[in-house]
Amino acid sequence: MITEGNISDIRIAKDKLNIKPDSIYCFDRAYTDLELWSNIDFSKSYFVTKLKNNLKYTVLGQHLEAMKDGILSDEKIKLENKKYEKNLRMIRFLDEKSDEVVSIVTNNFKLSAKTIVQIYKTRWQIEIFFRWIKQNLQIKTFLGTSKNAVMSQVWIAMIYYLLLTYIKYQSKYEKSLFYLHRIIKEALLSRLTLIDLLSATPARISDFKIKEFQLVFW
């Protein structure tokens, strides 16, 4: 959903989200809203989210599962808030990359703690994806400022990203997407086939680019 910047994300989630039964909704703690949680639960669906620090709760006991795979605890809790009165499951795990203990909550008592953690970690891939776009696809400065112009540039950038990924997958290209992006950018106006480009060394691309520049502009 695309809205103006002054409209709250949580409001859109509550008003526009078509909750489907037996689904799992995973979101960041910025979407902490007990009414939203209740709506998901009422629709016979599940949610997985990071526990907000100011959310008070009481630990009712341990959930029946052995601690392994980096799981520090798996507990049954109850919020000290009447807006959500059902029991919840709180799982704490150690994030090895940041060395941070992360607490997530869910209304799903069936899946293993490891699976719940994997679901939450998968959500991080969305942030990584958009961070990659911001850092590498050069859409910080827009050629136009209208809604259509901005959306066109965003879509073009995302299509370009998908094409790069497809090329890397099909050609079994060993280097990173960032490196592939750089060589395409450097040789954009050069007369190189895609196969030649994928196998070209940085020195060859730079040399070819200089010759092409001399040929066209001198």
Side-chain angles (χ1 to χ4, degrees), residues 50-63:
K50 192 173 183 180
L51 183 66
K52 213 168 185 179
N53 295 331
N54 61 355
L55 207 58
K56 296 181 179 180
Y57 60 88
T58 301
V59 177
L60 302 179
Q62 288 287 328
H63 189 59

Side-chain angles (χ1 to χ4, degrees), residues 10-11 14 27 29-38:
I10 188 64
R11 174 52 55 189
K14 290 168 66 175
F27 41 84
R29 60 183 172 185
Y31 288 85
T32 296
D33 185 281
L34 301 187
E35 183 181 341
L36 174 63
W37 293 9
S38 297

Side-chain angles (χ1 to χ4, degrees), residues 36 49 59 70 85 87 94 131 133 135 160 194-196 205 211:
L36 174 63
T49 186
V59 177
E85 297 184 329
N87 295 339
L94 178 65
R131 189 182 303 121
I133 288 179
Q135 292 175 348
Y160 171 68
L194 183 58
I195 299 300
D196 290 337
I205 293 172
K211 291 180 180 179

Side-chain angles (χ1 to χ4, degrees), residues 103-200:
S103 300
I104 55 178
V105 291
T106 180
N107 62 335
N108 190 308
F109 287 86
K110 299 177 181 180
L111 296 176
S112 69
K114 181 181 179 180
T115 301
I116 296 294
V117 169
Q118 287 175 334
I119 290 172
Y120 185 77
K121 284 184 175 181
T122 301
R123 191 201 63 82
W124 289 346
Q125 299 303 314
I126 300 173
E127 294 183 7
I128 294 172
F129 169 68
F130 281 104
R131 189 182 303 121
W132 193 94
I133 288 179
K134 290 178 181 178
Q135 292 175 348
N136 300 300
L137 298 191
Q138 305 299 318
I139 58 172
K140 295 180 181 179
T141 302
F142 291 99
L143 299 176
T145 56
S146 68
K147 182 177 180 180
N148 183 64
V150 171
M151 290 307 304
S152 294
Q153 288 178 258
V154 171
W155 278 113
I156 290 170
M158 295 184 70
I159 291 170
Y160 171 68
Y161 173 84
L162 291 174
L163 286 172
L164 283 184
T165 306
Y166 182 73
I167 291 169
K168 178 176 169 63
Y169 172 75
Q170 288 287 3
S171 64
K172 295 182 170 56
Y173 188 67
E174 296 181 352
K175 296 182 180 179
S176 66
L177 280 175
F178 175 73
Y179 187 83
L180 179 58
H181 161 65
R182 288 297 298 271
I183 64 172
I184 289 177
K185 179 181 177 182
E186 292 296 323
L188 189 61
L189 300 178
S190 301
R191 294 179 183 140
L192 282 172
T193 66
L194 183 58
I195 299 300
D196 290 337
L197 193 61
L198 292 174
S199 59

Side-chain angles (χ1 to χ4, degrees), residues 41-112:
D41 191 84
F42 181 77
S43 301
K44 297 181 180 180
S45 293
Y46 306 100
F47 60 84
V48 176
T49 186
K50 192 173 183 180
L51 183 66
K52 213 168 185 179
N53 295 331
N54 61 355
L55 207 58
K56 296 181 179 180
Y57 60 88
T58 301
V59 177
L60 302 179
Q62 288 287 328
H63 189 59
L64 299 179
E65 182 161 335
M67 298 300 101
K68 57 182 180 179
D69 299 315
I71 308 298
L72 302 178
S73 65
D74 185 1
E75 300 171 318
K76 183 186 295 185
I77 67 171
K78 186 176 181 63
L79 298 181
E80 297 179 8
N81 193 311
K82 293 185 178 180
K83 291 184 179 180
Y84 193 96
E85 297 184 329
K86 290 187 175 182
N87 295 339
L88 287 170
R89 182 183 179 187
M90 182 179 71
I91 300 168
R92 295 191 309 127
F93 69 94
L94 178 65
D95 178 23
E96 296 178 353
K97 292 185 178 179
S98 64
D99 198 31
E100 174 190 4
V101 175
V102 180
S103 300
I104 55 178
V105 291
T106 180
N107 62 335
N108 190 308
F109 287 86
K110 299 177 181 180
L111 296 176
S112 69

